[in-house]
Amino acid sequence: MHYTILDCYTDEASGLGVPPYLGTYPRYLFGKFKQEGHEVAYLTIDDLRLWKKYDNIKKETSEKEKTNILIYNLTNNKASEVLPETDVLIVILGVHVPGKYLTALPGTLHEVIPLLKDINCKKILTGPAVFGTQLEGGKFFEKEDLSSFDDVTNYDASFEELEKYVLEGVDIIRQIPDRRVIEIETGRGCNVGKCSFCTEPLKNSFVNRKKEDVVKETKAYYQRGARYFRLGKQADFYASDRPIEMLKEIREACPEVEMLHIDNVNPNSVVKPGGEEITKAVVEYCTSGNIAAFGVESFDPEVVKANLLNTMPLIAMKAIKIINKYGAVRGENGLHKFLPGINIIFGLLNETKETHKKNMEALSQVMAEDLLLRRINIRQVAVLPGTFLEKHGGNKFLRKNKQYYWKWRNEIRQKIDFPMLERLLPKGTVLTDVFTEMYDGKTTFCRQMGTYPLVIGVKGRLPLKKRIKVKVVDHMLRSIVGEEV
Ligand code: SF4
């Protein structure tokens, strides 16, 4: 049978599948159906838009226009040729932690359902959308009529089951012309928290993937030509199966890897005995620009308690210091080796004006102690079905405090992010392996490949998808202005 995977991109607390990331969902399903003996094609929502909304014509943008990110991430396949031949269409969709995406826009149910209306085949919806989806923070999940799908299926397989076909999925990258960061899954569920907003404990009970299997999958993609990896899809990298050996073995098996980063880290694990050893290994074996994404969410103890969050402010501060102690060294691509990043969420239970004050106090302390933070991620909570938050107040605090969010966010951006960025990347710093990605008017926006990469604006319209070197010439609130060198 002809199976087609339509990737509308996914973003979850524990996993990113928005280009330049290639998530686990399409890769695993590609492997599964191939092993069952089917022909499998991979399409993105961009391929579908190009056919249905742009008549298969991709126009060059004029100097006044932005690059059209709705059709930026095309595969080697044409939706207009593949879909009429398809017997079963698997639609992967779902955003749980909406972000801002420079070169992609995830498809929503609202967009995709009408686009697929006249495609005659079996249609199955899967991905995080099985648990609800919402592309915009601060809103309830999308409520769409799903009757045009023949089925809504959760294909999640146990690691034991997955290992039987995961390596068959590697060939998917032959259908993708651009660079992709392959996110390798290291664990599921959460060993620490029951955070009020999070679906991870609802989806999976805590289980680690075996170190050997993590190394094997990474190596298989490396051998097919992939050079960018994030060991992600976990609540806490430090709690993975033998993380030090894992990193060492990956580095040995993939000597020319250009990016090897991790994702989430629980600050409690960093301060625990053994935490410093793992920190040192991350610094030694991963590539520069790496971030320990700390899901602190709030420095207000009242909010921490009410939302069952796992990190008290004191622990967060201690963990920030430990990562700085080993990781705050400039690495080969111009960024520091390994720094902490902080996630903050607005709209949690018991949030008051005091919450913002507490957040500012903690972040100011980081500044005062000359510590480095690579990025602060602020978002409004998405209220997802089945969560503690949905059952104990829903969007009550979001509604109450919404009027302050712009002000709160802006204060963090102005007083913390901006001086921090100047501290991280003083004018004159040279960043290497920067890729030109898209135009906005006469500016080219670029990034390095990485976990939460910095956006770099360069004057002029440079050829896209090229690797350049950039010197820092100025700072914006959360991005930098560079000059090609
Ligand atoms: S620590 Fe909290 S946010 Fe992170 S995965 Fe666990 S429950 Fe979810």
Side-chain angles (χ1 to χ4, degrees), residues 13 189-190 192-195 197-201 235 297 310:
C190 179
V192 278
K194 302 185 195 75
C195 306
F197 57 89
C198 183
T199 51
E200 194 57 37
E297 328 301 3
N310 64 53

Side-chain angles (χ1 to χ4, degrees), residues 267-441:
N268 293 280
S269 301
V270 178
V271 307
K272 265 195 339 214
E276 295 205 24
E277 296 312 310
I278 302 175
T279 307
K280 282 192 234 168
V282 173
V283 172
E284 180 175 353
Y285 298 118
C286 290
T287 58
S288 305
N290 200 4
I291 301 177
F294 287 159
V296 173
E297 328 301 3
S298 176
F299 288 95
D300 179 352
E302 292 307 315
V303 174
V304 174
K305 272 187 249 154
N307 294 276
L308 320 173
L309 306 181
N310 64 53
T311 307
M312 274 295 175
L314 266 179
I315 298 284
M317 206 52 81
K318 226 170 141 185
I320 289 172
K321 285 182 190 165
I322 293 175
I323 305 274
N324 266 266
K325 181 172 159 196
Y326 297 103
V329 208
R330 209 168 288 282
E332 64 281 356
N333 66 0
L335 288 180
H336 294 84
K337 287 258 190 187
F338 182 39
L339 292 178
I342 300 281
N343 300 339
I344 287 181
I345 299 186
F346 291 161
L348 293 175
L349 301 170
N350 289 9
E351 177 187 72
T352 61
K353 283 187 188 168
E354 198 56 26
T355 305
H356 174 60
K357 240 177 96 192
K358 295 262 164 60
N359 286 342
M360 281 307 291
E361 277 166 18
L363 295 170
S364 305
Q365 189 190 338
V366 171
M367 288 304 294
E369 294 195 21
D370 254 336
L371 295 164
L372 297 177
L373 277 184
R374 186 26 206 85
R375 63 118 183 82
I376 304 167
N377 201 0
I378 307 169
R379 65 182 178 92
Q380 290 178 42
V381 75
V383 183
L384 292 164
T387 56
F388 184 86
L389 179 65
E390 191 214 25
K391 292 176 191 153
H392 294 83
N395 64 359
K396 179 175 159 199
F397 289 88
L398 265 177
R399 275 188 287 123
K400 187 175 136 226
N401 297 326
K402 206 160 196 130
Q403 50 183 324
Y404 305 118
Y405 291 157
W406 189 87
K407 195 173 148 260
W408 289 357
R409 184 192 303 256
N410 192 45
E411 199 178 343
I412 296 175
R413 297 292 176 235
Q414 302 276 356
K415 294 190 178 159
I416 311 291
D417 276 300
F418 184 71
M420 182 60 82
L421 203 48
E422 288 181 311
R423 184 182 286 178
L424 282 172
L425 291 167
K427 285 182 189 171
T429 308
V430 173
L431 299 175
T432 63
D433 304 308
V434 174
F435 292 96
T436 54
E437 295 202 61
M438 55 97 64
Y439 303 132
D440 189 352

